[in-house]
Amino acid sequence: MFDKYTIDPATVANTGPADAPTGFSFTTKLGYYRGLGLSMIEDLKVSIDGEALPREAITFDEGEGPLTLDEMETAFDRRWPFGAPATITVALPGGFPAGEHKLSLQQRLRISYMPFPSFNNDEKVISL
């Protein structure tokens, strides 16, 4: 529904020491018109140039502290409000690759009144 807003390209940055990045992060927004409990976010898939990054390398932080995707499954007391930015961090030795690359994000959301998951996809060309 709000797919084109799920990646904020201006926020993509490497994490860790500048001379030896340990990963990268970016800000995302919920691609659904209502807020959701974090346990209802079934998956977040991040890829660069079509190559999926490992699920285990991804953490999510809506402002209450980072969680792995597995930890989000039982985060029943935490919500991601509509319009609120959250940070996705990916552990990737060397950080985001230099030059121009396509960053993709897929949010798979469990919506209480829908019998199937909602998939929200965004892709931005990023140059660091």
Side-chain angles (χ1 to χ4, degrees):
M1 180 174 283
F2 298 100
D3 293 17
K4 68 181 181 177
Y5 303 110
T6 60
I7 296 174
D8 181 351
T11 64
V12 177
N14 283 324
T15 58
D19 60 340
T22 56
F24 69 96
S25 66
F26 61 95
T27 299
T28 182
K29 290 189 177 175
L30 189 60
Y32 179 64
Y33 73 98
R34 299 175 71 178
L36 285 177
L38 296 191
S39 63
M40 296 178 75
I41 299 168
E42 292 187 347
D43 201 13
L44 297 169
K45 292 184 180 179
V46 179
S47 53
I48 298 175
D49 295 330
E51 184 178 329
L53 301 174
R55 175 181 166 86
E56 302 78 31
I58 299 169
T59 60
F60 176 89
D61 186 353
E62 88 291 18
E64 297 293 322
L67 296 171
T68 66
L69 299 183
D70 288 341
E71 290 170 331
M72 285 174 62
E73 293 176 5
T74 58
F76 304 116
D77 59 340
R78 291 172 64 174
R79 283 188 60 76
W80 187 12
F82 172 74
T87 301
I88 292 177
T89 302
V90 181
L92 181 66
F96 195 85
E100 192 172 273
H101 297 276
K102 288 183 183 176
L103 174 64
S104 303
L105 172 65
Q106 180 184 76
Q107 299 173 351
R108 187 174 75 208
L109 311 174
R110 187 174 353 106
I111 310 302
S112 61
Y113 58 84
M114 293 174 61
F116 48 83
S118 171
F119 290 91
N120 302 310
N121 300 289
D122 193 7
E123 183 175 88
K124 299 283 192 302
V125 175
I126 307 295
S127 184
L128 287 186

